[in-house]
Amino acid sequence: MVIRRVLLDAFGTLFSPREPVHVQYTKVARSFGLVVDEAAVKSAFKQAFKHWTATHPLYGKRSTPPLDPADWWRGVILDTFRNAGVAEQRLAPISDELSNSLVRRFWGSEGYELHAEVDSFLQRLHALPYPPRDNSVTGSSSSQRFPPPVVVSNTDPAVLKILDSLGVTDSTFAPRAAGIRHDQIFTTWLLEEDKKDVRFWEEVLRRLRSETGGEGLDPGEVLVVGDELVSDYETPRRAGFRTLLLRRTSPNGEHARASYEDEKDGPAAVETVQDLLQVLEFVQQENS
């Protein structure tokens, strides 16, 4: 079966932190005069993130009243430093400036960097012919170009700002037609389902099918690529999608992956790629 759409995870797949998140948090905190330990911040961040996820699901969207995701992250940031041992009297006078600084940092290229092959991948994917509906006709005869990848992210609307800042959306990328479209960035915040839930993937497919000419899209014609075993590989596969698990060998490919420590000795019976250019080769092979 040919591949008609490619769905990509964002965090760790398209971009990764320039340095581990806790390292950046520590550096910014020290620039404000706080005395903090990296290891303590790393542990405290996990604790704060878990707490805010449990008490304010969907980045605050389901809170009463709803929280703006930026306020949700400010809460995580300040609780991180409280949990890391920063006294309230030291934190309070700088809390707004410190939290705003870190929110802005992780809205774009100051906190994240694009993986090296992404620009080339976007250009070369769009240069591929789109497989015609008539399977008796080879893909090479199609005049329609392959559409840009769809982004599927377990995060909040800030991912749109990040992708804009990194220059890969249709308003920032050249050629524009190869850039990622804002209306095809599907987050858990937007769909109100987690990527570990089959319903997330069913809703993504429904939305793709609602496009002009997309009604006949079969889940087996959709390839999902990401670096989380359950969210990006196993669950979409249960929904009928084809999947590849991204396993980057670079350090930032490892520290970007939330479940890295849990999965580094993970199952062998998965189809893996090491970068997005190998994904391109896979699509070309399947559509030839």
Side-chain angles (χ1 to χ4, degrees):
M1 187 176 287
V2 298
I3 295 170
R4 300 190 186 280
R5 300 307 300 264
V6 174
L7 277 55
L8 298 180
D9 173 48
F11 192 85
T13 299
L14 288 166
F15 59 84
S16 291
R18 291 187 175 275
E19 295 180 288
V21 171
H22 71 279
V23 172
Q24 297 191 57
Y25 269 48
T26 301
K27 287 183 177 180
V28 172
R30 288 173 178 171
S31 75
F32 281 86
L34 297 181
V35 178
V36 286
D37 175 72
E38 273 188 13
V41 171
K42 182 177 182 179
S43 175
F45 175 80
K46 292 180 179 179
Q47 181 183 349
F49 187 90
K50 183 178 181 179
H51 170 76
W52 278 80
T53 298
T55 57
H56 297 279
L58 276 179
Y59 301 91
K61 190 175 184 179
R62 290 181 177 164
S63 298
T64 306
L67 292 176
D68 183 277
D71 290 330
W72 190 93
W73 279 109
R74 290 184 187 100
V76 171
I77 290 164
L78 295 178
D79 276 358
T80 293
F81 293 117
R82 291 185 182 106
N83 296 341
V86 177
E88 194 64 35
Q89 61 265 33
R90 291 285 295 119
L91 187 60
I94 60 170
S95 61
D96 287 347
E97 192 176 358
L98 172 62
S99 60
N100 289 338
S101 176
L102 279 166
V103 167
R104 288 192 302 269
R105 183 184 190 92
F106 287 101
W107 271 353
S109 57
E110 187 178 6
Y112 296 108
E113 61 183 346
L114 201 65
H115 284 284
E117 82 280 12
V118 173
D119 283 355
S120 176
F121 170 78
L122 292 176
Q123 293 169 352
R124 292 170 63 182
L125 179 69
H126 188 62
L128 296 179
Y130 185 74
R133 286 293 168 187
D134 181 358
N135 290 332
S136 66
V137 182
T138 61
S140 61
S141 66
S142 174
S143 60
Q144 185 180 355
R145 298 294 92 187
F146 205 96
V150 174
V151 170
V152 282
S153 180
N154 237 356
T155 187
D156 62 88
V159 71
L160 281 73
K161 297 179 181 179
I162 296 168
L163 293 171
D164 276 340
S165 176
L166 295 173
V168 292
T169 58
D170 60 357
S171 61
T172 58
F173 192 74
R176 178 169 183 157
I180 298 163
R181 289 167 42 186
H182 271 205
D183 64 352
Q184 293 196 346
I185 299 174
F186 299 121
T187 65
T188 51
W189 184 91
L190 174 67
L191 302 190
E192 300 191 3
E193 297 290 353
D194 193 275
K195 286 168 65 179
K196 293 179 181 179
D197 193 316
V198 169
R199 288 174 294 186
F200 176 93
W201 301 99
E202 291 173 342
E203 178 60 16
V204 170
L205 182 62
R206 187 193 69 78
R207 294 189 182 212
L208 293 178
R209 282 175 169 170
S210 70
E211 298 177 357
T212 303
E215 294 81 358
L217 187 65
D218 186 278
E221 298 174 320
V222 180
L223 175 66
V224 179
V225 182
D227 63 341
E228 296 287 348
L229 178 63
V230 177
S231 297
D232 300 320
Y233 189 88
E234 294 179 342
T235 307
R237 183 163 283 209
R238 292 205 318 269
F241 293 78
R242 300 173 73 178
T243 59
L244 291 173
L245 188 65
L246 181 63
R247 281 293 178 259
R248 295 188 180 277
T249 57
S250 59
N252 66 347
E254 294 176 356
H255 71 236
R257 178 150 39 93
S259 58
Y260 175 67
E261 289 300 324
D262 298 331
E263 297 176 8
K264 61 184 178 182
D265 299 321
V270 295
E271 294 183 83
T272 63
V273 289
Q274 291 186 351
D275 59 37
L276 295 180
L277 296 184
Q278 289 186 357
V279 175
L280 185 75
E281 294 171 1
F282 182 87
V283 173
Q284 289 175 304
Q285 178 180 337
E286 294 300 300
N287 290 0
S288 61

